[in-house]
Amino acid sequence: MARFTVSILLLLSIISLAGTIGTTTATSHGSSNNHRRSTNSRTIVEAQCRGTLYPRLCIESLFYFVSNSTVPTAEELAQISLKVSLVKARYTRSYVAKVAAELKQIKAKEYPAVKDCLDQINDGVGQISNAVKELGRLFRADRESVFSWHRSNVETWVSTALTDALMCMDSFPGNTVGSKRKAIIKAKVLNVAQATSNALAFFNRFVARHRASRATKP
């Protein structure tokens, strides 16, 4: 797992600078070898993302974590996709918290709706954080009963985080918040929801392969 064990801080750096890295790489290393490596990596990622509901976002999220020749394991994909979801949720929480603070200061009538959304996103961040920690415990489980316990916890927390994101978007009926701010918040939250959905898909794939491997053992 060493190749794909990525800290949250590193994920923050890579995701925030992904566009810049891509431009710089294309300009500074425009050789055919680099192009070939990039193409190979993308092919691997595209193949892995086909089973998700949001393959385009999946490819964008995982591309920079996959080498040009090694297919990541189901375990590695579950770990990386869940951490990507957590990073996106934290970024979104920061933005919504900023908007909520500004609206509260001027006592805007839109504040309650944004605050409700912030509460949901904050809970979602906690749920995904718990799931990331529990995933590490699951990987170290030495008995099937222990594995099943951790699996159930991860599924519950990730599913709850997905529900939190959807409930946040439901906090804005009609024109309760300025159209531009509302559009930005909903777009960011939708991105979190889709990333979380993809993470759940990868986790379920890992669990299915784990069960299959256990079934084939004598």
Side-chain angles (χ1 to χ4, degrees), residues 20-36:
T20 304
I21 291 173
T23 303
T24 303
T25 301
T27 303
S28 304
H29 308 284
S31 67
S32 59
N33 286 339
N34 283 330
H35 176 72
R36 190 179 303 113

Side-chain angles (χ1 to χ4, degrees), residues 143-164:
R143 299 193 310 276
E144 193 61 25
S145 59
V146 176
F147 179 94
S148 296
W149 168 259
H150 294 309
R151 172 196 56 75
S152 177
N153 289 339
V154 172
E155 288 178 348
T156 298
W157 286 326
V158 176
S159 297
T160 301
L162 183 55
T163 300
D164 284 334

Side-chain angles (χ1 to χ4, degrees), residues 39-98:
T39 300
N40 290 343
S41 295
R42 187 173 184 87
T43 299
I44 291 172
V45 173
E46 287 177 347
Q48 297 302 312
C49 289
R50 285 195 191 111
T52 64
L53 289 177
Y54 308 100
R56 181 175 178 180
L57 176 63
C58 177
I59 292 167
E60 293 173 353
S61 299
L62 299 182
F63 179 74
Y64 291 99
F65 304 108
V66 176
S67 72
N68 68 303
S69 59
T70 305
V71 178
T73 65
E75 182 177 334
E76 291 164 343
L77 287 169
Q79 180 190 58
I80 293 299
S81 61
L82 196 54
K83 288 186 175 181
V84 166
S85 174
L86 178 57
V87 169
K88 288 179 178 293
R90 285 178 171 173
Y91 268 131
T92 299
R93 180 178 63 178
S94 295
Y95 177 78
V96 177
K98 178 176 178 292

Side-chain angles (χ1 to χ4, degrees), residues 185-201:
I185 291 175
K186 295 187 79 168
K188 288 179 179 293
V189 175
L190 179 62
N191 190 262
V192 172
Q194 292 179 348
T196 304
S197 172
N198 286 347
L200 187 58

